[in-house]
Amino acid sequence: MSSPIRIAAIGLAHPHVFAMTQHLIDAGATLVAYEPESHVLGEAFGQVFDRAQARPERASILEDSSIDVVVGAGLPSERAALGVDVLRHGKDFVSDKPGFTDPESLADARRVSAETGRRFVVWFSERLDSRATVRADELTREGAIGRIVQTIGLGPHRLDAAQRPAWFFDRARAGGILTDLASHQMDQFLHFTGTVDADVRFARTANRGHPEHPELEDFGEAIVDGAGVSGYVRVDWFTPGGLGTWGDGRLLIIGTEGQIEVRKNVDLAGREGAEHLFLVDGTETRHVDCRSHRLPFAARLLADVAQRTETAITQEHCFRASELALRAQAAADALGPTPT
Amino acid sequence: MSSPIRIAAIGLAHPHVFAMTQHLIDAGATLVAYEPESHVLGEAFGQVFDRAQARPERASILEDSSIDVVVGAGLPSERAALGVDVLRHGKDFVSDKPGFTDPESLADARRVSAETGRRFVVWFSERLDSRATVRADELTREGAIGRIVQTIGLGPHRLDAAQRPAWFFDRARAGGILTDLASHQMDQFLHFTGTVDADVRFARTANRGHPEHPELEDFGEAIVDGAGVSGYVRVDWFTPGGLGTWGDGRLLIIGTEGQIEVRKNVDLAGREGAEHLFLVDGTETRHVDCRSHRLPFAARLLADVAQRTETAITQEHCFRASELALRAQAAADALGPTPT
């Protein structure tokens, strides 16, 4: 057996870094070090992962040739530059989404990845950490619903404004809602349609309910095309307090021979827990409980790091999904705010 | 008490005419006569409503001054001209949707309605005959979810191609999918947003799974705006055989303070029957069983006929909803077929 992949955590601003790190540890990685003074979560990170070494000097992590992978969830606007730095130090970078808030930094990362042969991976958790979505992917590939006609991806989120740091409401640092939340949706659309080529046909954003945060976009939508499939995407920050989770994320897929609905996080006033899949085909309608389904991403990613393969996610997919989100955001920005 | 409204049925091509007639009878109308040789359903209509008089000559119905209202569900392309004829004979016309398949006939009906003071009503059954949708309307008006931010209307339908008459696959006679199925959606959007002013921002159609019917559009979608609310609409002919009903129609409403999901016809692998409403607000998530909720439309319509009021639906709304569907269709036609 090969020696464990050694990882470190830099950029500890969003709690996603806890889940990403834990998934990689569960899949066999060794967490070596972290930045204890990074943003607001540095200290908490050290308490949760108390076997890792606190290294206040970022350079001591970047220059440690025993470390293979850096995981990061800093401010969205800072992720690309950090990732490029990590790649230049001969390591792979695993970023929280969004990996990029502007096309220029995406282009930089693309160039440096090509030059160094290192990977800038974006962890699109709404697909990769959703067991029911993984199952939907398998079912569609097995032909359970025929050829895909359309996907609808709904990505509602709870705002909890009082709990959010200042950067969250700063467009330049956080990115717009399509850049951020819809990057999950673009990842999902490209993955399910099996292509990296897609076009934005329409996109817009709005602030419909939060005038006290003028730079926040609380609503965004986009229509995309790719591989003969239509995709509609809606994201928002309107999850009400009475929902038992942060958001009722859905994926609806129409196929020529059937349809799938994934209720990722909750089945409203229905079955307990998360990870629900509903399949309707030519003969029946059934619920598939996916709570015990496998999540293969982290283990595949570690194998890819060791073997320089691309079984978990391809570099091109990470860049193209990010690019599609940025293009949707740009299209919405060009359209201007919608009338209220 | 006033004497019952007297109705007759002309144009018996689509089975919707059975439900429309029955609703009006249940609300107190007297069915006087029908056209026995009208399209394929004339004979069956006479068997179901066996107390009505068969009148092979359409003129004998139109010229019967004792008849107040004509109900019709002929070929979509013929409904407008029939309606205009009915209005010119001093009666109100209650049409199956779509009432119109082209802007010119809509303009004719608008002019003749203004001239005669008679009404051209379109029965948008996916709202008016859906108890859960009626309940959703009440709840939103009561402020249960705050101000509406967005609606998503999904109108999937089962094709059952072998059961469909030839005209169904003829674009000129049936209208496109946005003209037809999305007219329900436009009605619903305008009604829920409380406006008749709305714009089509994007629309497209496709034939993704039925090349043997080249004029059929089996997929359509549109984005509309009105009254500061965004609307997304998707309609299709892909309902699989394994679904226990003709289509899993949904209405999803995001509000600033809560959200509603209406599952009009079925709760996939969940609760029995139809008419499901799910409400999430600031404090809870709950299911509302709407199977016993009232359907006020038919009774209000009869009162409107007697009193010349507009409590059930306004003339302007019928025209504007139809117009919005036609504009979406025209926008999709102008865009051309989407790549497959």
Side-chain angles (χ1 to χ4, degrees):
Chain A
M1 187 175 157
S2 57
S3 55
I5 299 293
R6 291 167 59 84
I7 70 174
I10 296 179
L12 307 174
H14 195 292
H16 283 151
V17 75
F18 289 90
M20 292 157 59
T21 303
Q22 190 62 56
H23 279 301
L24 290 171
I25 291 172
D26 291 346
T30 299
L31 176 64
V32 178
Y34 71 101
E35 263 190 325
E37 288 158 25
S38 174
H39 301 291
V40 294
L41 298 177
E43 189 178 340
F45 192 89
Q47 289 164 356
V48 170
F49 300 105
D50 57 3
R51 298 168 66 181
Q53 188 179 27
R55 295 197 195 167
E57 298 292 321
R58 178 172 290 187
S60 101
I61 293 177
L62 290 176
E63 292 166 8
D64 181 341
S65 64
S66 82
I67 293 171
D68 305 293
V69 173
V70 169
V71 176
L75 305 197
S77 62
E78 298 172 354
R79 290 171 191 170
L82 170 60
V84 163
D85 207 11
V86 169
L87 269 52
R88 289 209 181 282
H89 281 84
K91 309 180 193 318
D92 295 321
F93 183 58
V94 177
S95 177
D96 184 21
K97 68 80 218 171
F100 308 94
T101 54
D102 63 278
E104 294 72 24
S105 61
L106 174 58
D108 285 346
R110 192 186 275 278
R111 192 182 61 250
V112 173
S113 174
E115 286 170 9
T116 61
R118 298 290 114 182
R119 307 271 167 71
F120 192 120
V121 170
V122 183
W123 194 304
F124 296 108
S125 56
E126 292 185 24
R127 173 173 65 89
L128 299 167
D129 294 350
S130 165
R131 297 172 196 276
T133 309
V134 170
R135 185 74 190 114
D137 182 30
E138 295 166 355
L139 285 167
T140 54
R141 283 169 204 274
E142 291 161 10
I145 61 168
R147 190 160 36 77
I148 297 179
V149 169
Q150 193 217 16
T151 66
I152 293 181
L154 304 181
H157 288 68
R158 178 168 290 141
L159 184 59
D160 273 342
Q163 315 302 320
R164 298 276 174 185
W167 62 259
F168 178 86
F169 299 102
D170 175 348
R171 167 71 189 259
R173 288 188 287 173
I177 193 171
L178 293 173
T179 295
D180 179 14
L181 299 187
S183 67
H184 286 299
Q185 301 295 334
M186 299 311 184
D187 159 70
Q188 189 170 255
F189 178 77
L190 292 182
H191 182 80
F192 273 81
T193 54
T195 184
V196 291
D197 274 318
D199 288 312
V200 175
R201 303 295 294 266
F202 179 84
R204 68 171 164 188
T205 60
N207 181 327
R208 289 261 159 92
H210 302 89
E212 70 279 20
H213 298 294
E215 293 196 10
L216 177 71
E217 294 167 334
D218 56 25
F219 173 82
E221 65 182 341
I223 287 183
V224 293
D225 266 349
V229 179
S230 306
Y232 174 71
V233 159
R234 190 205 74 201
V235 288
D236 70 81
W237 289 106
F238 284 106
T239 293
L243 189 76
T245 180
W246 55 267
D248 181 9
R250 308 263 188 117
L251 169 62
L252 306 163
I253 313 173
I254 307 177
T256 51
E257 312 294 332
Q259 58 191 39
I260 285 173
E261 175 171 353
V262 176
R263 298 182 192 155
K264 299 180 187 230
N265 304 326
V266 62
D267 179 25
L268 292 180
R271 292 174 170 87
E272 292 287 309
E275 306 288 9
H276 303 276
L277 186 151
F278 298 84
L279 174 68
V280 188
D281 60 20
T283 57
E284 64 170 352
T285 299
R286 66 191 168 99
H287 172 259
V288 182
D289 180 345
C290 301
R291 283 178 292 183
S292 303
H293 200 72
R294 69 209 175 90
L295 285 179
F297 179 68
R300 287 184 187 164
L301 185 63
L302 294 180
D304 287 345
V305 168
Q307 298 157 24
R308 309 317 295 166
T309 49
E310 291 199 301
T311 63
I313 195 166
T314 70
Q315 179 62 83
E316 188 65 9
H317 174 91
C318 292
F319 288 147
R320 293 284 198 123
S322 302
E323 185 187 5
L324 197 56
L326 290 173
R327 281 161 52 202
Q329 185 73 50
D333 292 350
L335 194 63
T338 51
T340 51
Chain B
M1 189 179 158
S2 57
S3 55
I5 299 294
R6 291 166 61 85
I7 69 173
I10 296 180
L12 308 174
H14 195 291
H16 283 152
V17 76
F18 289 91
M20 292 158 60
T21 303
Q22 190 62 57
H23 278 302
L24 290 172
I25 291 172
D26 292 346
T30 300
L31 176 64
V32 178
Y34 71 101
E35 264 190 325
E37 289 159 23
S38 174
H39 301 291
V40 295
L41 298 177
E43 189 178 340
F45 192 89
Q47 289 164 355
V48 170
F49 299 105
D50 57 2
R51 297 168 65 181
Q53 188 180 28
R55 295 195 196 167
E57 298 293 320
R58 178 171 290 186
S60 101
I61 293 177
L62 291 176
E63 291 165 9
D64 181 342
S65 65
S66 82
I67 292 171
D68 305 295
V69 173
V70 169
V71 176
L75 306 196
S77 61
E78 298 171 354
R79 290 172 191 168
L82 170 59
V84 163
D85 207 10
V86 168
L87 268 52
R88 289 208 181 281
H89 282 84
K91 307 179 194 317
D92 294 322
F93 183 57
V94 178
S95 177
D96 184 22
K97 68 82 221 173
F100 308 94
T101 54
D102 63 278
E104 294 74 21
S105 61
L106 174 59
D108 286 346
R110 193 186 275 276
R111 194 181 59 249
V112 173
S113 174
E115 285 171 10
T116 62
R118 297 292 115 181
R119 308 269 168 71
F120 192 120
V121 171
V122 183
W123 194 303
F124 295 108
S125 56
E126 292 185 23
R127 172 173 64 90
L128 299 168
D129 294 350
S130 165
R131 297 173 198 276
T133 310
V134 169
R135 185 73 190 113
D137 182 30
E138 295 165 356
L139 285 167
T140 53
R141 281 168 205 277
E142 290 161 10
I145 60 169
R147 192 161 34 78
I148 297 179
V149 169
Q150 193 217 18
T151 66
I152 293 182
L154 304 180
H157 287 68
R158 178 168 290 142
L159 184 58
D160 273 343
Q163 315 301 321
R164 298 277 175 185
W167 63 259
F168 178 86
F169 299 102
D170 175 348
R171 166 71 189 259
R173 289 189 287 173
I177 193 170
L178 293 173
T179 295
D180 180 13
L181 298 187
S183 67
H184 286 299
Q185 301 294 335
M186 298 311 184
D187 158 71
Q188 188 171 258
F189 178 77
L190 292 182
H191 182 80
F192 273 81
T193 54
T195 185
V196 292
D197 274 318
D199 289 312
V200 175
R201 304 294 294 265
F202 179 85
R204 68 171 164 189
T205 61
N207 181 326
R208 289 260 159 92
H210 303 89
E212 69 279 19
H213 299 296
E215 293 196 11
L216 177 72
E217 294 167 334
D218 56 25
F219 173 82
E221 65 183 340
I223 286 183
V224 293
D225 265 349
V229 179
S230 305
Y232 174 71
V233 158
R234 190 205 75 200
V235 289
D236 70 80
W237 289 107
F238 283 106
T239 293
L243 189 75
T245 182
W246 54 267
D248 182 9
R250 308 263 188 115
L251 169 62
L252 306 163
I253 313 173
I254 307 178
T256 50
E257 311 295 331
Q259 56 190 40
I260 285 174
E261 174 171 354
V262 176
R263 299 181 192 157
K264 299 180 187 230
N265 305 324
V266 62
D267 179 26
L268 292 180
R271 291 175 171 86
E272 292 287 308
E275 307 289 9
H276 303 276
L277 187 151
F278 299 83
L279 174 67
V280 188
D281 60 21
T283 55
E284 61 170 354
T285 298
R286 64 190 169 101
H287 172 259
V288 182
D289 179 346
C290 300
R291 284 178 291 183
S292 304
H293 201 71
R294 70 208 175 90
L295 286 179
F297 180 67
R300 286 185 187 164
L301 185 62
L302 294 179
D304 287 344
V305 169
Q307 299 158 23
R308 311 316 294 165
T309 48
E310 292 198 300
T311 62
I313 195 166
T314 70
Q315 180 62 84
E316 190 64 11
H317 174 89
C318 292
F319 288 147
R320 293 285 196 121
S322 302
E323 185 187 4
L324 197 56
L326 291 173
R327 280 160 53 201
Q329 185 73 50
D333 292 350
L335 195 63
T338 50
T340 53

